[in-house]
Amino acid sequence: MKKALVTGANKGIGYAIAEHLMRKGWHVLVGARDQRRGEEAAEKLNGLGMGRAEWVEVNLSDFASIDRTEALIKEQYPDLELLINNAGIPGDMACASYDTDIKDIMETTQVNFFGTFYLTKALVPVIAANRGKIVSVTVPTSTNPYWNPLAYKASKAAQNCMTEHLAFDFKKNNIPVETYCVHPGPTTTDLNGNMSLPGFHMPDDVGGKIVDLLDDGLSHQGEFIEIYPIVEE
């Protein structure tokens, strides 16, 4: 049974990704910092009667916690072949860039970039040993007429840069890992207060499409793939 770690898998897009992986027979590690929520999500996923799910602590705001996660993976799940970096926090999405508090930028970047990079770096040897994949759920970071939260986009710009550089170095040094970014497009989740407007999609829809990319037979090394591109009216 193929194994995957999906961060932030207790709800939203992460949960949808986990569910679609389960439907294809994967053993999914539900990465979440809250044990109760993580175990509840795993129990619900196991109710599908396909694959297998269990909670694994993933707290991207705490490097010591990530060290424990790394040790657990290497000891109990050395055949892990897929890491999906989905967990993230929104930061303040309402304020103008010039009013953004530096603390907000630091906290958002800690989770969305520093913590994500720290976990990714820790698991590269495991993923490489299994010739696997690292997929980051992210967003375009250029300005657009509708949505420009500085803290969130800055953190995701760093994550996008991380993926591009990992892909380049994996190829250059013959490391058998494929990594790429996926932008789901406008999606109704807790991150945006469950906003539902014309052009928005549901987590189950984008989660399924993200999982389908894993088996499309193509190499997406270093790519930035948009499931639903932002279209200016």
Side-chain angles (χ1 to χ4, degrees), residues 170-183:
F170 289 158
K171 183 176 181 179
K172 176 182 176 181
N173 297 301
N174 297 312
I175 307 298
V177 177
E178 180 181 338
T179 185
Y180 55 90
C181 291
V182 178
H183 170 225

Side-chain angles (χ1 to χ4, degrees), residues 57-70:
E57 180 183 7
V58 175
N59 184 350
L60 298 176
S61 65
D62 183 348
F63 289 151
S65 174
I66 297 172
D67 287 339
R68 293 193 295 272
T69 302
E70 175 190 1

Side-chain angles (χ1 to χ4, degrees), residues 128-203:
N130 298 298
R131 308 184 71 85
K133 299 180 181 182
I134 299 170
V135 180
S136 292
V137 179
T138 182
V139 299
T141 57
S142 58
T143 57
N144 68 67
Y146 312 108
W147 184 69
N148 296 291
L150 177 59
Y152 185 74
K153 282 194 172 182
S155 70
K156 287 297 186 177
Q159 191 178 111
N160 295 348
C161 184
M162 173 191 81
T163 300
E164 290 178 1
H165 285 69
L166 287 175
F168 178 86
D169 286 333
F170 289 158
K171 183 176 181 179
K172 176 182 176 181
N173 297 301
N174 297 312
I175 307 298
V177 177
E178 180 181 338
T179 185
Y180 55 90
C181 291
V182 178
H183 170 225
T187 307
T188 301
T189 68
D190 286 355
L191 193 84
N192 52 37
N194 292 305
M195 185 180 295
S196 181
L197 296 170
F200 273 64
H201 303 273
M202 297 305 295

Side-chain angles (χ1 to χ4, degrees), residues 13-216:
I13 293 173
Y15 181 88
I17 291 171
E19 180 174 335
H20 282 277
L21 286 171
M22 292 272 292
R23 292 186 182 281
K24 293 191 174 186
W26 284 73
H27 178 175
V28 178
L29 306 181
V30 177
R33 60 183 176 180
D34 184 280
Q35 181 175 357
R36 179 183 61 81
R37 293 175 182 174
E39 290 180 342
E40 287 177 353
E43 182 179 0
K44 184 177 178 182
L45 287 165
N46 283 321
L48 296 172
M50 295 174 280
R52 179 183 174 191
E54 57 188 298
W55 169 72
V56 169
E57 180 183 7
V58 175
N59 184 350
L60 298 176
S61 65
D62 183 348
F63 289 151
S65 174
I66 297 172
D67 287 339
R68 293 193 295 272
T69 302
E70 175 190 1
L72 177 72
I73 296 294
K74 289 180 175 178
E75 177 183 353
Q76 297 188 21
Y77 311 103
D79 52 347
L80 184 80
E81 62 181 86
L82 174 63
L83 168 63
I84 295 189
N85 290 316
N86 166 76
I89 61 173
D92 188 342
M93 292 194 169
C95 69
S97 56
Y98 49 79
D99 284 330
T100 303
D101 192 303
I102 188 65
K103 181 181 179 182
D104 186 42
I105 294 179
M106 293 174 68
E107 290 177 349
T108 306
T109 305
Q110 168 61 41
V111 172
N112 297 357
F113 174 60
F114 291 118
T116 295
F117 172 72
Y118 196 78
L119 176 66
T120 299
K121 182 177 184 294
L123 296 183
V124 163
V126 179
I127 302 296
N130 298 298
R131 308 184 71 85
K133 299 180 181 182
I134 299 170
V135 180
S136 292
V137 179
T138 182
V139 299
T141 57
S142 58
T143 57
N144 68 67
Y146 312 108
W147 184 69
N148 296 291
L150 177 59
Y152 185 74
K153 282 194 172 182
S155 70
K156 287 297 186 177
Q159 191 178 111
N160 295 348
C161 184
M162 173 191 81
T163 300
E164 290 178 1
H165 285 69
L166 287 175
F168 178 86
D169 286 333
F170 289 158
K171 183 176 181 179
K172 176 182 176 181
N173 297 301
N174 297 312
I175 307 298
V177 177
E178 180 181 338
T179 185
Y180 55 90
C181 291
V182 178
H183 170 225
T187 307
T188 301
T189 68
D190 286 355
L191 193 84
N192 52 37
N194 292 305
M195 185 180 295
S196 181
L197 296 170
F200 273 64
H201 303 273
M202 297 305 295
D204 183 67
D205 179 20
V206 299
K209 288 181 168 58
I210 290 171
V211 170
D212 286 344
L213 287 170
L214 299 171
D215 300 318
D216 67 1

